[in-house]
Amino acid sequence: MTVAPEIHDASPEKLLAPVLSAFWDEPRSWTLETYLRHEGYEGARKAFAMQPDEVIAYVKDSGLRGRGGAGFPTGMKWQFIPQGDGKPHYLVVNADESEPGTCKDIPLLFANPHSLVEGMLIASYAIRCSHAFVYLRGETVPVLRRLHEAVREAYAAGYLGRNILGSGLDLDITVHAGAGAYICGEETALLDSLEGRRGQPRLRPPFPAVAGLYACPTVVNNVESIASVPAILNRGKEWFRSMGSEKSPGFTLYSLSGHVANPGQYEAPLGITLRQLLGMSGGMRPGHTLKFWTPGGSSTPLLTDEHLDVPLDYEAVGAAGSMLGTKALQCFDETTCVVRAVTRWTEFYAHESCGKCTPCREGTYWLVQLLRDIEAGKGRMADLDKLADIADNINGKSFCALGDGAASPIFSSLQYFRGEYEQHIKGKGCPFDPSKSTVWADQPHPEVPA
Amino acid sequence: MKHEVRLGMPQLPAPDYPAEVRARLEADAAQLVGRYPDRRSALLPLLHLVQAEEGYVTRTGIRFCAEQLGLTTAEVTAVSTFYTMYRREQGGDYQVGVCTNTLCAVLGGDAIFGALQQHLGVGNGETTEDGKVTLEHIECNAACDYAPVVMVNWEFFDNQTVESAKKLVDDLRAGRTVEPTRGAPLCTYRETERILAGFPDERPGAVEASGGAGPATLAGLRLARGEGAHRVGPPRPAPPAQTSEEGEG
């Protein structure tokens, strides 16, 4: 099923589907008490009534795909864990949300950390894991507090510890705070970091399912993926499949940000379009038009207003030349200089490149030098081909996807906005006024930075 | 750069912590190490712990981590210098981080960061003379729907403007209470580091401070409930009631 194409007829009540976010507006939404009032831990009870392999098959049949960017089927990841191998198995939740534009897991955990804890119970039961970890980025202390508290509450109420709910499952959860490194969102770098090392990606194979944490079979899943599992168990895979499309079923969090009238989290079936989301939420800020946007963070190629009707699911965004990624819809209006935007993202990738692979470490550095020159009006026409060439030398030629991510904004901005780069070069400077892009630009008494 | 490279004779081993400090930290370290199947996994928490003790990762702190985990100081140094949250020199009580990744930068983060540098008279990574505020530009902090964002000791100060950010740092320097839009009343940088090491914040009310979810987090939910498309966040620019310092500097 796809959602209705006519936005003006379709009301938000019909287009949106709050599941994870359904009671985030309760005054104490993060507590166990609130969670239990909303069928909390019912999914785990249903899972415990099944055999672990049945749980894996059930999640696989539901069609749930990873919400951290790659979209790999969650149940299949669980199925890859070899059983009866005599080794400990680990579940590691990737809560290192750092992809520019991405802002879903942090508010999710702040509003309701128990949906993650329950999902971890179910996943651990399925893969036969007795020690699970949450790797939370360190820069979000308010979320760390609530995770500490949720785990404490879960132990006290018997949802963690020994023989949980009589299931025979023993589970401990360790909440682990990172220390500031985007690369640790890459699953193998995350595992190295969790082992107390520099967070640098590992060569695969072996994949984490075979040799992950401490070289033992390990599932690494995104927060939203795991937090979606309890509802699937509780309300059924058919219910889950009634939303979204055949290949991209279910609900998900779309994060609207930038020059929009109402930024925020919008939970909807997969396949909703940006036009629909903007249509229901008040559109772009008054008097302005959409220029470019990312479907899923800065590592997903830019799209433009031509792509407003692309269904935001894994297949359709891929067919449009980008990736669904983390569904981080960063929208920029006509006041924004695309060269400035891409330069800043590229500076980010250069800063965050872990240095392991030469193409990424060196390539991102040189991209920054060229882009800064172009932005400052000191570029040459030949630099544009050089940018594309360097990006091509990074893309697909490093251990992990950070390099590919760095190449994405370069390729896509040259594809859609080459003229704007040329304008910077010919005009020997940036034709945009950055003060017009600020949120206060259109206020009656604009602030003037001294 | 402030980190000068010195060649010549290797440094002497770092001094140890005083006995009573060491005993206290060893008890903390034992708790942290006990949470992992493999000792070395406690290294990042231990580095947060020594940072909580001294405000940055000192050579003494590195020695302590190495001894607890059976590593060399070189191995610990290699890890601590990889991660941006570990300071290599003393900073202020309040770390003020302005997001200047693309989205926040475009929406006003660049203007805020520029204005704060001028207002405080410090550059990126520098601390005010009174030792209160260390100013930094930071990368995307997963709060893009609240842009432009400023973090103080890793608590969220959402929807900032040049004026609100100036007032924020003035209040911090004057010792006035400031409350994050999402997060708990501020503690010092070192106290924050102890939470990051893995010791829950024991202050009454800290967990529930600032409520369940911020306004932008609830934007979709409210629409789905038929509450209509209206401005859900604080009106941009927020917050409204502040003494203006326009034209200063």
Side-chain angles (χ1 to χ4, degrees):
Chain A
M1 157 211 157
T2 48
V3 283
E6 287 301 317
I7 59 144
H8 300 295
D9 302 340
S11 64
E13 293 92 324
K14 286 184 185 137
L15 286 173
L16 294 174
V19 177
L20 290 168
S21 60
F23 57 93
W24 284 358
D25 57 344
E26 290 240 352
R28 293 172 60 83
S29 61
W30 69 91
T31 59
L32 179 60
E33 187 268 322
T34 305
Y35 193 53
L36 291 175
R37 273 196 283 111
H38 293 272
E39 301 180 49
Y41 291 95
E42 288 302 315
R45 287 179 198 277
K46 289 183 183 163
F48 293 161
M50 301 157 78
Q51 291 302 309
D53 285 344
E54 290 172 356
V55 177
I56 293 175
Y58 198 88
V59 172
K60 204 174 145 191
D61 290 348
S62 78
L64 173 65
R65 298 175 64 172
R67 303 293 194 233
F72 194 82
T74 302
M76 209 178 285
K77 254 192 186 179
W78 297 3
Q79 198 179 32
F80 286 155
I81 298 293
Q83 295 301 336
D85 57 346
K87 289 184 182 172
H89 300 165
Y90 294 108
L91 170 69
V92 179
V93 172
N94 184 346
D96 194 52
E97 182 166 68
S98 312
E99 166 79 8
T102 307
C103 51
K104 63 187 182 66
D105 297 335
I106 292 304
L108 183 160
L109 292 173
F110 190 63
N112 179 16
H114 280 285
S115 59
L116 177 71
V117 175
E118 185 184 359
M120 291 175 76
L121 272 184
I122 297 167
S124 298
Y125 176 75
I127 67 165
R128 288 82 152 176
C129 154
S130 59
H131 196 162
F133 298 84
V134 183
Y135 188 106
L136 175 72
R137 71 179 294 188
E139 299 98 323
T140 54
V141 172
V143 172
L144 181 60
R145 271 191 201 95
R146 291 198 177 164
L147 268 175
H148 279 154
E149 175 64 7
V151 168
R152 188 198 65 75
E153 281 188 309
Y155 270 110
Y159 294 107
L160 288 174
R162 305 289 150 255
N163 190 22
I164 297 162
L165 303 178
S167 64
L169 173 70
D170 298 340
L171 182 66
D172 288 310
I173 290 182
T174 298
V175 177
H176 181 93
Y182 167 64
I183 189 61
C184 293
E186 195 282 333
E187 63 176 10
T188 61
L190 184 152
L191 293 173
D192 260 36
S193 179
L194 185 52
E195 290 181 1
R197 298 167 197 280
R198 296 162 74 90
Q200 293 191 313
R202 301 173 180 174
L203 190 60
R204 289 167 293 186
F207 287 92
V210 176
L213 189 64
Y214 315 126
C216 292
T218 302
V219 166
V220 185
N221 277 148
N222 169 260
V223 169
E224 189 191 344
S225 313
I226 290 287
S228 298
V229 169
I232 293 172
L233 266 294
N234 190 31
R235 297 164 78 167
K237 60 188 182 190
E238 294 76 19
W239 163 81
F240 188 74
R241 281 197 162 280
S242 73
M243 291 176 272
S245 66
E246 173 65 27
K247 288 182 175 169
S248 298
F251 54 87
T252 195
L253 289 164
Y254 292 97
S255 308
L256 206 51
S257 65
H259 291 127
V260 296
N262 287 292
Q265 306 302 319
Y266 295 81
E267 196 173 7
L270 278 156
I272 197 167
T273 66
L274 182 58
R275 190 187 299 280
Q276 288 171 322
L277 283 166
L278 286 174
M280 73 172 77
S281 67
M284 299 297 286
R285 60 177 178 166
H288 295 277
T289 53
L290 178 68
K291 179 177 174 182
F292 62 94
W293 55 290
T294 68
S298 59
S299 301
T300 58
L302 299 178
L303 297 175
T304 68
D305 60 355
E306 294 166 39
H307 305 99
L308 275 165
D309 296 311
V310 172
L312 295 171
D313 62 24
Y314 298 96
E315 288 70 33
V317 180
S322 189
M323 287 167 67
L324 185 63
T326 55
K327 305 136 310 151
L329 308 164
Q330 306 176 86
C331 302
F332 296 92
D333 70 17
E334 83 291 345
T335 65
T336 314
C337 171
V338 78
V339 177
R340 178 185 177 206
V342 172
T343 302
R344 194 59 59 88
W345 278 322
T346 307
E347 287 170 344
F348 167 78
Y349 290 111
H351 180 251
E352 299 296 336
S353 173
C354 78
K356 184 165 184 163
C357 309
T358 307
C360 172
R361 180 187 66 241
E362 302 298 320
T364 52
Y365 172 85
W366 286 108
L367 288 175
V368 168
Q369 307 310 311
L370 287 167
L371 283 165
R372 282 183 183 163
D373 272 359
I374 293 169
E375 199 191 357
K378 294 185 287 183
R380 296 179 304 173
M381 281 301 182
D383 290 345
L384 300 185
D385 290 336
K386 199 180 285 178
L387 276 180
D389 187 49
I390 295 173
D392 186 53
N393 273 310
I394 301 173
N395 194 29
K397 297 177 182 68
S398 298
F399 273 33
C400 82
L402 189 146
D404 307 347
S408 284
I410 306 279
F411 287 140
S412 55
S413 62
L414 282 171
Q415 179 186 350
Y416 298 118
F417 299 100
R418 195 179 177 97
E420 204 166 301
Y421 282 94
E422 291 174 354
Q423 230 182 325
H424 280 73
I425 294 167
K426 286 180 191 154
K428 299 200 180 302
C430 177
F432 291 88
D433 175 0
S435 69
K436 291 200 162 43
S437 303
T438 60
V439 287
W440 53 78
D442 298 337
Q443 298 293 319
H445 302 291
E447 284 184 279
V448 183
Chain B
M1 287 304 291
K2 281 167 292 174
H3 306 288
E4 58 181 284
V5 176
R6 278 170 298 181
L7 303 175
M9 292 297 287
Q11 286 177 299
L12 292 169
D16 199 354
Y17 283 121
E20 70 278 11
V21 174
R22 189 184 169 94
R24 175 164 49 78
L25 291 181
E26 275 179 343
D28 287 342
Q31 263 197 64
L32 297 176
V33 168
R35 295 176 188 173
Y36 300 90
D38 181 288
R39 296 182 72 80
R40 184 167 177 161
S41 282
L43 181 51
L44 267 63
L46 285 183
L47 285 164
H48 282 303
L49 179 70
V50 298
Q51 190 150 262
E53 185 63 28
E54 296 187 89
Y56 70 112
V57 178
T58 62
R59 293 176 65 234
T60 298
I62 285 173
R63 174 181 161 179
F64 175 81
C65 293
E67 286 171 359
Q68 296 303 306
L69 302 177
L71 300 170
T72 65
T73 52
E75 286 171 314
V76 174
T77 305
V79 172
S80 75
T81 53
F82 184 84
Y83 297 93
T84 53
M85 288 177 76
Y86 299 129
R87 286 179 175 173
R88 290 194 240 179
E89 57 195 41
Q90 196 60 265
D93 287 343
Y94 300 103
Q95 176 170 305
V96 175
V98 182
C99 178
T100 58
N101 201 300
T102 299
L103 190 122
C104 273
V106 166
L107 265 61
D110 275 357
I112 292 171
F113 187 59
L116 286 187
Q117 289 186 73
Q118 211 164 43
H119 187 65
L120 295 172
V122 297
N124 183 39
E126 294 176 4
T127 304
T128 52
E129 277 177 13
D130 57 10
K132 295 284 187 199
V133 169
T134 300
L135 181 66
E136 277 187 341
H137 76 81
I138 59 169
E139 297 300 354
C140 183
N141 221 68
C144 315
D145 45 350
Y146 295 94
V149 171
V150 171
M151 304 296 295
V152 182
N153 290 352
W154 307 117
E155 312 280 347
F156 290 98
F157 289 77
D158 301 319
N159 301 108
Q160 291 295 300
T161 66
V162 167
E163 292 311 317
S164 67
K166 280 192 200 169
K167 181 171 186 305
L168 172 62
V169 295
D170 288 346
D171 286 346
L172 289 172
R173 297 183 74 185
R176 289 188 285 268
T177 308
V178 298
E179 301 218 342
T181 38
R182 287 178 296 148
L186 289 184
C187 43
T188 65
Y189 180 79
R190 286 173 50 187
E191 289 161 345
T192 307
E193 278 294 323
R194 189 168 170 85
I195 304 170
L196 284 162
F199 295 103
D201 193 339
E202 307 286 358
R203 293 177 298 160
V207 174
E208 45 265 61
S210 77
T217 304
L218 301 176
L221 179 60
R222 297 214 159 122
L223 268 187
R225 295 232 170 108
E227 293 173 30
H230 56 272
R231 171 80 224 155
V232 291
R236 288 174 163 180
Q242 271 170 13
T243 31
S244 172
E245 291 174 1
E246 271 177 11
E248 184 210 276

PDB file of all heavy atoms in Angstrom, chain A residues 242-267:
ATOM      1  N   SER A 242       0.693  -3.644   7.208  1.00  0.00           N
ATOM      2  CA  SER A 242      -0.409  -2.867   6.636  1.00  0.00           C
ATOM      3  C   SER A 242       0.019  -1.428   6.364  1.00  0.00           C
ATOM      4  O   SER A 242      -0.683  -0.665   5.714  1.00  0.00           O
ATOM      5  CB  SER A 242      -1.621  -2.873   7.584  1.00  0.00           C
ATOM      6  OG  SER A 242      -1.367  -2.052   8.707  1.00  0.00           O
ATOM      7  N   MET A 243       1.185  -1.066   6.863  1.00  0.00           N
ATOM      8  CA  MET A 243       1.719   0.285   6.618  1.00  0.00           C
ATOM      9  C   MET A 243       2.901   0.189   5.670  1.00  0.00           C
ATOM     10  O   MET A 243       3.605  -0.826   5.624  1.00  0.00           O
ATOM     11  CB  MET A 243       2.177   0.913   7.938  1.00  0.00           C
ATOM     12  CG  MET A 243       1.026   1.255   8.871  1.00  0.00           C
ATOM     13  SD  MET A 243       1.623   1.880  10.453  1.00  0.00           S
ATOM     14  CE  MET A 243       1.827   0.358  11.363  1.00  0.00           C
ATOM     15  N   GLY A 244       3.137   1.260   4.934  1.00  0.00           N
ATOM     16  CA  GLY A 244       4.289   1.297   4.039  1.00  0.00           C
ATOM     17  C   GLY A 244       4.073   0.457   2.801  1.00  0.00           C
ATOM     18  O   GLY A 244       2.933   0.223   2.387  1.00  0.00           O
ATOM     19  N   SER A 245       5.160  -0.003   2.205  1.00  0.00           N
ATOM     20  CA  SER A 245       5.057  -0.764   0.955  1.00  0.00           C
ATOM     21  C   SER A 245       5.514  -2.204   1.183  1.00  0.00           C
ATOM     22  O   SER A 245       5.975  -2.563   2.264  1.00  0.00           O
ATOM     23  CB  SER A 245       5.918  -0.100  -0.125  1.00  0.00           C
ATOM     24  OG  SER A 245       7.291  -0.201   0.233  1.00  0.00           O
ATOM     25  N   GLU A 246       5.417  -3.008   0.152  1.00  0.00           N
ATOM     26  CA  GLU A 246       5.795  -4.421   0.235  1.00  0.00           C
ATOM     27  C   GLU A 246       7.250  -4.570   0.713  1.00  0.00           C
ATOM     28  O   GLU A 246       7.547  -5.323   1.630  1.00  0.00           O
ATOM     29  CB  GLU A 246       5.598  -5.050  -1.150  1.00  0.00           C
ATOM     30  CG  GLU A 246       6.096  -6.481  -1.294  1.00  0.00           C
ATOM     31  CD  GLU A 246       5.314  -7.458  -0.418  1.00  0.00           C
ATOM     32  OE1 GLU A 246       4.136  -7.179  -0.118  1.00  0.00           O
ATOM     33  OE2 GLU A 246       5.895  -8.493  -0.036  1.00  0.00           O
ATOM     34  N   LYS A 247       8.152  -3.790   0.079  1.00  0.00           N
ATOM     35  CA  LYS A 247       9.570  -3.938   0.407  1.00  0.00           C
ATOM     36  C   LYS A 247      10.012  -3.020   1.550  1.00  0.00           C
ATOM     37  O   LYS A 247      11.074  -3.222   2.117  1.00  0.00           O
ATOM     38  CB  LYS A 247      10.424  -3.668  -0.829  1.00  0.00           C
ATOM     39  CG  LYS A 247      10.340  -4.786  -1.858  1.00  0.00           C
ATOM     40  CD  LYS A 247      11.239  -4.487  -3.044  1.00  0.00           C
ATOM     41  CE  LYS A 247      11.238  -5.681  -3.998  1.00  0.00           C
ATOM     42  NZ  LYS A 247      11.881  -5.333  -5.278  1.00  0.00           N
ATOM     43  N   SER A 248       9.229  -1.997   1.818  1.00  0.00           N
ATOM     44  CA  SER A 248       9.552  -1.075   2.916  1.00  0.00           C
ATOM     45  C   SER A 248       8.341  -0.943   3.824  1.00  0.00           C
ATOM     46  O   SER A 248       7.678   0.088   3.832  1.00  0.00           O
ATOM     47  CB  SER A 248       9.923   0.315   2.375  1.00  0.00           C
ATOM     48  OG  SER A 248      11.059   0.277   1.570  1.00  0.00           O
ATOM     49  N   PRO A 249       8.025  -2.008   4.583  1.00  0.00           N
ATOM     50  CA  PRO A 249       6.819  -1.935   5.406  1.00  0.00           C
ATOM     51  C   PRO A 249       7.036  -1.170   6.711  1.00  0.00           C
ATOM     52  O   PRO A 249       8.168  -0.969   7.149  1.00  0.00           O
ATOM     53  CB  PRO A 249       6.506  -3.407   5.693  1.00  0.00           C
ATOM     54  CG  PRO A 249       7.828  -4.096   5.613  1.00  0.00           C
ATOM     55  CD  PRO A 249       8.696  -3.302   4.663  1.00  0.00           C
ATOM     56  N   GLY A 250       5.932  -0.760   7.296  1.00  0.00           N
ATOM     57  CA  GLY A 250       5.981  -0.229   8.655  1.00  0.00           C
ATOM     58  C   GLY A 250       5.979   1.282   8.752  1.00  0.00           C
ATOM     59  O   GLY A 250       5.807   2.005   7.776  1.00  0.00           O
ATOM     60  N   PHE A 251       6.173   1.711   9.982  1.00  0.00           N
ATOM     61  CA  PHE A 251       6.169   3.138  10.328  1.00  0.00           C
ATOM     62  C   PHE A 251       7.598   3.566  10.611  1.00  0.00           C
ATOM     63  O   PHE A 251       8.454   2.724  10.895  1.00  0.00           O
ATOM     64  CB  PHE A 251       5.317   3.347  11.592  1.00  0.00           C
ATOM     65  CG  PHE A 251       5.767   2.463  12.724  1.00  0.00           C
ATOM     66  CD1 PHE A 251       6.784   2.868  13.585  1.00  0.00           C
ATOM     67  CD2 PHE A 251       5.205   1.195  12.920  1.00  0.00           C
ATOM     68  CE1 PHE A 251       7.227   2.047  14.613  1.00  0.00           C
ATOM     69  CE2 PHE A 251       5.656   0.371  13.957  1.00  0.00           C
ATOM     70  CZ  PHE A 251       6.660   0.799  14.792  1.00  0.00           C
ATOM     71  N   THR A 252       7.844   4.863  10.575  1.00  0.00           N
ATOM     72  CA  THR A 252       9.179   5.352  10.932  1.00  0.00           C
ATOM     73  C   THR A 252       9.119   6.826  11.301  1.00  0.00           C
ATOM     74  O   THR A 252       8.129   7.509  11.032  1.00  0.00           O
ATOM     75  CB  THR A 252      10.176   5.112   9.781  1.00  0.00           C
ATOM     76  OG1 THR A 252      11.506   5.259  10.275  1.00  0.00           O
ATOM     77  CG2 THR A 252       9.956   6.097   8.642  1.00  0.00           C
ATOM     78  N   LEU A 253      10.194   7.284  11.909  1.00  0.00           N
ATOM     79  CA  LEU A 253      10.294   8.695  12.301  1.00  0.00           C
ATOM     80  C   LEU A 253      10.957   9.499  11.182  1.00  0.00           C
ATOM     81  O   LEU A 253      12.065   9.175  10.767  1.00  0.00           O
ATOM     82  CB  LEU A 253      11.123   8.834  13.583  1.00  0.00           C
ATOM     83  CG  LEU A 253      10.465   8.339  14.860  1.00  0.00           C
ATOM     84  CD1 LEU A 253      11.517   8.159  15.964  1.00  0.00           C
ATOM     85  CD2 LEU A 253       9.380   9.313  15.323  1.00  0.00           C
ATOM     86  N   TYR A 254      10.258  10.503  10.695  1.00  0.00           N
ATOM     87  CA  TYR A 254      10.846  11.463   9.761  1.00  0.00           C
ATOM     88  C   TYR A 254      11.167  12.732  10.546  1.00  0.00           C
ATOM     89  O   TYR A 254      10.319  13.239  11.280  1.00  0.00           O
ATOM     90  CB  TYR A 254       9.865  11.773   8.631  1.00  0.00           C
ATOM     91  CG  TYR A 254       9.619  10.596   7.708  1.00  0.00           C
ATOM     92  CD1 TYR A 254       8.516   9.768   7.875  1.00  0.00           C
ATOM     93  CD2 TYR A 254      10.502  10.317   6.668  1.00  0.00           C
ATOM     94  CE1 TYR A 254       8.301   8.685   7.025  1.00  0.00           C
ATOM     95  CE2 TYR A 254      10.294   9.235   5.811  1.00  0.00           C
ATOM     96  CZ  TYR A 254       9.190   8.425   6.002  1.00  0.00           C
ATOM     97  OH  TYR A 254       8.979   7.357   5.168  1.00  0.00           O
ATOM     98  N   SER A 255      12.389  13.220  10.370  1.00  0.00           N
ATOM     99  CA  SER A 255      12.824  14.406  11.115  1.00  0.00           C
ATOM    100  C   SER A 255      12.925  15.589  10.169  1.00  0.00           C
ATOM    101  O   SER A 255      13.804  15.640   9.315  1.00  0.00           O
ATOM    102  CB  SER A 255      14.182  14.158  11.766  1.00  0.00           C
ATOM    103  OG  SER A 255      14.166  12.963  12.508  1.00  0.00           O
ATOM    104  N   LEU A 256      12.015  16.520  10.326  1.00  0.00           N
ATOM    105  CA  LEU A 256      11.944  17.685   9.449  1.00  0.00           C
ATOM    106  C   LEU A 256      12.728  18.833  10.097  1.00  0.00           C
ATOM    107  O   LEU A 256      12.479  19.176  11.257  1.00  0.00           O
ATOM    108  CB  LEU A 256      10.468  18.061   9.296  1.00  0.00           C
ATOM    109  CG  LEU A 256       9.969  18.789   8.062  1.00  0.00           C
ATOM    110  CD1 LEU A 256      10.407  18.102   6.775  1.00  0.00           C
ATOM    111  CD2 LEU A 256       8.442  18.875   8.118  1.00  0.00           C
ATOM    112  N   SER A 257      13.675  19.401   9.340  1.00  0.00           N
ATOM    113  CA  SER A 257      14.453  20.502   9.918  1.00  0.00           C
ATOM    114  C   SER A 257      14.840  21.500   8.844  1.00  0.00           C
ATOM    115  O   SER A 257      14.638  21.256   7.657  1.00  0.00           O
ATOM    116  CB  SER A 257      15.708  19.960  10.607  1.00  0.00           C
ATOM    117  OG  SER A 257      16.578  19.380   9.657  1.00  0.00           O
ATOM    118  N   GLY A 258      15.374  22.611   9.261  1.00  0.00           N
ATOM    119  CA  GLY A 258      15.823  23.639   8.326  1.00  0.00           C
ATOM    120  C   GLY A 258      14.833  24.779   8.188  1.00  0.00           C
ATOM    121  O   GLY A 258      14.174  25.152   9.149  1.00  0.00           O
ATOM    122  N   HIS A 259      14.720  25.279   6.948  1.00  0.00           N
ATOM    123  CA  HIS A 259      13.883  26.449   6.705  1.00  0.00           C
ATOM    124  C   HIS A 259      12.411  26.084   6.566  1.00  0.00           C
ATOM    125  O   HIS A 259      11.734  26.536   5.643  1.00  0.00           O
ATOM    126  CB  HIS A 259      14.349  27.164   5.435  1.00  0.00           C
ATOM    127  CG  HIS A 259      15.686  27.822   5.585  1.00  0.00           C
ATOM    128  ND1 HIS A 259      16.736  27.595   4.728  1.00  0.00           N
ATOM    129  CD2 HIS A 259      16.147  28.707   6.504  1.00  0.00           C
ATOM    130  CE1 HIS A 259      17.787  28.314   5.102  1.00  0.00           C
ATOM    131  NE2 HIS A 259      17.459  28.993   6.185  1.00  0.00           N
ATOM    132  N   VAL A 260      11.927  25.246   7.449  1.00  0.00           N
ATOM    133  CA  VAL A 260      10.516  24.865   7.397  1.00  0.00           C
ATOM    134  C   VAL A 260       9.767  25.608   8.500  1.00  0.00           C
ATOM    135  O   VAL A 260      10.362  26.048   9.484  1.00  0.00           O
ATOM    136  CB  VAL A 260      10.341  23.340   7.574  1.00  0.00           C
ATOM    137  CG1 VAL A 260      10.985  22.599   6.414  1.00  0.00           C
ATOM    138  CG2 VAL A 260      10.928  22.860   8.892  1.00  0.00           C
ATOM    139  N   ALA A 261       8.455  25.721   8.315  1.00  0.00           N
ATOM    140  CA  ALA A 261       7.667  26.458   9.299  1.00  0.00           C
ATOM    141  C   ALA A 261       7.625  25.717  10.637  1.00  0.00           C
ATOM    142  O   ALA A 261       7.671  26.340  11.699  1.00  0.00           O
ATOM    143  CB  ALA A 261       6.255  26.673   8.773  1.00  0.00           C
ATOM    144  N   ASN A 262       7.530  24.391  10.583  1.00  0.00           N
ATOM    145  CA  ASN A 262       7.407  23.602  11.816  1.00  0.00           C
ATOM    146  C   ASN A 262       8.331  22.394  11.825  1.00  0.00           C
ATOM    147  O   ASN A 262       7.920  21.278  11.510  1.00  0.00           O
ATOM    148  CB  ASN A 262       5.953  23.140  11.992  1.00  0.00           C
ATOM    149  CG  ASN A 262       5.055  24.280  12.396  1.00  0.00           C
ATOM    150  OD1 ASN A 262       5.155  24.813  13.490  1.00  0.00           O
ATOM    151  ND2 ASN A 262       4.193  24.693  11.478  1.00  0.00           N
ATOM    152  N   PRO A 263       9.573  22.604  12.213  1.00  0.00           N
ATOM    153  CA  PRO A 263      10.490  21.472  12.275  1.00  0.00           C
ATOM    154  C   PRO A 263      10.069  20.507  13.386  1.00  0.00           C
ATOM    155  O   PRO A 263       9.371  20.901  14.318  1.00  0.00           O
ATOM    156  CB  PRO A 263      11.834  22.122  12.604  1.00  0.00           C
ATOM    157  CG  PRO A 263      11.508  23.423  13.241  1.00  0.00           C
ATOM    158  CD  PRO A 263      10.196  23.861  12.650  1.00  0.00           C
ATOM    159  N   GLY A 264      10.477  19.262  13.274  1.00  0.00           N
ATOM    160  CA  GLY A 264      10.157  18.300  14.332  1.00  0.00           C
ATOM    161  C   GLY A 264      10.113  16.880  13.841  1.00  0.00           C
ATOM    162  O   GLY A 264      10.508  16.576  12.710  1.00  0.00           O
ATOM    163  N   GLN A 265       9.634  16.002  14.724  1.00  0.00           N
ATOM    164  CA  GLN A 265       9.529  14.576  14.429  1.00  0.00           C
ATOM    165  C   GLN A 265       8.122  14.267  13.926  1.00  0.00           C
ATOM    166  O   GLN A 265       7.142  14.641  14.571  1.00  0.00           O
ATOM    167  CB  GLN A 265       9.799  13.749  15.693  1.00  0.00           C
ATOM    168  CG  GLN A 265      11.114  14.079  16.370  1.00  0.00           C
ATOM    169  CD  GLN A 265      12.301  13.879  15.459  1.00  0.00           C
ATOM    170  OE1 GLN A 265      12.365  12.914  14.700  1.00  0.00           O
ATOM    171  NE2 GLN A 265      13.243  14.811  15.505  1.00  0.00           N
ATOM    172  N   TYR A 266       8.046  13.587  12.789  1.00  0.00           N
ATOM    173  CA  TYR A 266       6.762  13.204  12.195  1.00  0.00           C
ATOM    174  C   TYR A 266       6.799  11.708  11.925  1.00  0.00           C
ATOM    175  O   TYR A 266       7.550  11.252  11.063  1.00  0.00           O
ATOM    176  CB  TYR A 266       6.512  13.993  10.902  1.00  0.00           C
ATOM    177  CG  TYR A 266       6.350  15.487  11.144  1.00  0.00           C
ATOM    178  CD1 TYR A 266       7.464  16.311  11.297  1.00  0.00           C
ATOM    179  CD2 TYR A 266       5.087  16.058  11.250  1.00  0.00           C
ATOM    180  CE1 TYR A 266       7.324  17.673  11.543  1.00  0.00           C
ATOM    181  CE2 TYR A 266       4.940  17.424  11.491  1.00  0.00           C
ATOM    182  CZ  TYR A 266       6.059  18.220  11.638  1.00  0.00           C
ATOM    183  OH  TYR A 266       5.916  19.570  11.890  1.00  0.00           O
ATOM    184  N   GLU A 267       6.027  10.948  12.669  1.00  0.00           N
ATOM    185  CA  GLU A 267       6.058   9.503  12.509  1.00  0.00           C
ATOM    186  C   GLU A 267       4.958   9.081  11.538  1.00  0.00           C
ATOM    187  O   GLU A 267       3.784   9.409  11.745  1.00  0.00           O
ATOM    188  CB  GLU A 267       5.863   8.816  13.867  1.00  0.00           C
ATOM    189  CG  GLU A 267       6.256   7.356  13.858  1.00  0.00           C
ATOM    190  CD  GLU A 267       6.209   6.736  15.246  1.00  0.00           C
ATOM    191  OE1 GLU A 267       5.741   7.398  16.197  1.00  0.00           O
ATOM    192  OE2 GLU A 267       6.622   5.573  15.374  1.00  0.00           O
TER     193      GLU A 267
END
